[in-house]
Amino acid sequence: MATINSRLLFVTTSPRTPEKIIPEIKLLADNFSGQVWNYDTQTRFMELLRDENSFHGEGFRNPDFSARDRINRAPKSLGFVRLKPDIALTEAGEELLSAADKADVFLRQLLKFQLPSPYHRLSKDAACFNVKPFLEILRLVRVLGILRFDELRAIGLQLTDWRDFPQIVGRIEKFREEKGSTLLPYKKFYGSFLKEELKHVYAGRISKGKIKTRENRKEVSLENFLETQMRNTRDNADALFRYLRATGLVQVSHRGKSISIVPERIREVDYILENVDRNPEYFEDDEGYLSYLSDPSAVRLLTDDRGYLRERLEESFPEVSVDDGMTAEYLRGTLAARLQERKELNLRKQVKRIKERELYDDIQETFDLVRGDRLYDAPLIFEWNVWRAMTMMDGGEITANLKFDDFGNPMSTASGNMADIVCDYGDFMVCVEVTLQSGQRQYESEGEPVSRHLGKLKKLSGKPCYSLFVAPKINEACVAHFFTLHRLDISYYGGSSVIVPVPLMLFREMLRHSNRVAARPKPSDIRRLFECSAQLSMECSSETEWYEGVKRMVERWPD
């Protein structure tokens, strides 16, 4: 049972991206159903999970703890798995794996998540919770129209009792007024505002000197305590954004760092806010709570109503013929299929504009925003933007391992043991890996997976394959690792691994060069870069010499 010490709204933060729950509970069910969830099974689970793209660079030192972090948090808290007396998927978990529309499954489970709950023990210092967090934050978005990340972090997380909702709305509106009238730079204004809010929230603990944190047990100070709580507010606000986004009801403005209701889903949101009880349910034990959580039908949605489904189809897709004999299930499937078709059409239109170089300026501007830390989910937008850049630079079939929303906008990184971007040029392939991480963390998280994904692509395609690694700055350990893999024949990776590391500055130069030339660079131009890198690695005496040579080649590309 987890213990909550916070006086702010608590939600599950692991896995960080809710879509990753899907492959992880499938991995758990396929390999451990019927077994006891203990140190042995937890360790073995992590050994399997470490091979998955969704979890690179973690879980090596304390595999049992890491396994509990992945399964005992969101999958258990949202009712997708049962861990006692043995491991099993619940009915909701089975539904998540099998349903065509996984967004609705996530939505039903999030609306049931509540505090207090039998799964969470409250410490003496915790708030007196009386709330369904996702329900009330969805209500906050609906009432305010737009909810900014900073507003949720500083004020919205104080909504620990749903009866305080009007007060929270008023305080956010007051914050907006103060922000509009301050003469201070926003970053300084907000930093001061957030600290003052946290001092107020934790006034009782601070007055008693109870400011020791798990992260800084040796150095106890008010500043360290506040810094820890600031990080916690960021993590919980981020989780609320990401998990609500997985329902499909809200859309994210990355530049505005805010969420709002998708216009065509407003009726569904209003139905939820009018019909889902705001009071947490009462349960005497874990079994009763699990029974409630695991029942997919415990929460009714407007999409369960046949009349609504018919109206939405007729409004959004008038070419679809609907008759009285069609069931709600059939109409729901038809709507899902039409939304998928619309998404694919929007993506094709986007690709067409990219290949016609209409979006060159927008792509370069987006890289500026990523580097300036001015986006809500910079890693996601970075990956999406590199996909757009690769699509513009050449004529291959460029596929991003991303999940897109109904309108073709990037929603989250997808799960699965594969590269971030896969480029098919007919007689050869390139996998592109991107990261914003730097320093030793870059090597630990990305070094081995890059070569593993390249090896997997070789085996699946049967073609010559290469890899491009793009980051704002390339860590020296990654340079050494990739240089070594050029020169070694490792059967696990399908032979030598030609992985070319390119810093973002030079990648953007490649994009500029390809935009200037009259004819789009040919696949042979792409391939020549990798073949020259392979040859250069055999001629150089050190990784530094090789990397400097690679950068010179990239600077001149495609000449």
Side-chain angles (χ1 to χ4, degrees), residues 399-454:
T399 304
N401 187 26
L402 295 173
K403 180 177 175 60
F404 294 90
D405 66 18
D406 288 343
F407 304 96
N409 301 312
M411 184 173 172
S412 66
T413 53
S415 303
N417 187 11
M418 63 181 292
D420 295 332
I421 301 165
V422 176
C423 310
D424 190 340
Y425 298 103
D427 57 350
F428 73 100
M429 301 185 77
V430 173
C431 56
V432 184
E433 304 281 2
V434 305
T435 184
L436 289 178
Q437 292 182 341
S438 59
Q440 187 65 18
R441 176 70 172 171
Q442 182 185 99
Y443 171 70
E444 293 173 352
S445 297
E446 304 291 342
E448 195 279 332
V450 172
S451 47
R452 174 161 36 88
H453 296 159
L454 177 57

Side-chain angles (χ1 to χ4, degrees), residues 377-402:
D377 192 347
L380 170 65
I381 299 303
F382 184 45
E383 186 174 325
W384 170 70
N385 210 44
V386 170
W387 166 73
R388 294 201 299 168
M390 291 298 297
T391 300
M392 199 201 92
M393 277 197 286
D394 55 79
E397 185 67 31
I398 316 298
T399 304
N401 187 26
L402 295 173

Side-chain angles (χ1 to χ4, degrees), residues 75-82 88-96 105 108-109 112 119 286-298:
K76 177 184 175 183
S77 296
L78 297 178
F80 292 123
V81 298
R82 186 194 74 202
L89 292 184
T90 65
E91 188 179 351
E94 297 283 2
E95 182 77 7
L96 183 63
V105 181
R108 293 178 200 273
Q109 299 309 111
K112 288 182 281 185
Y119 282 174
D286 289 12
E287 284 302 313
Y289 185 48
L290 178 59
S291 178
Y292 165 70
L293 280 181
S294 61
D295 180 6
S297 63

Side-chain angles (χ1 to χ4, degrees), residues 89 110 175 306 500:
L89 292 184
L110 292 176
F175 167 79
R306 183 187 177 282
V500 176

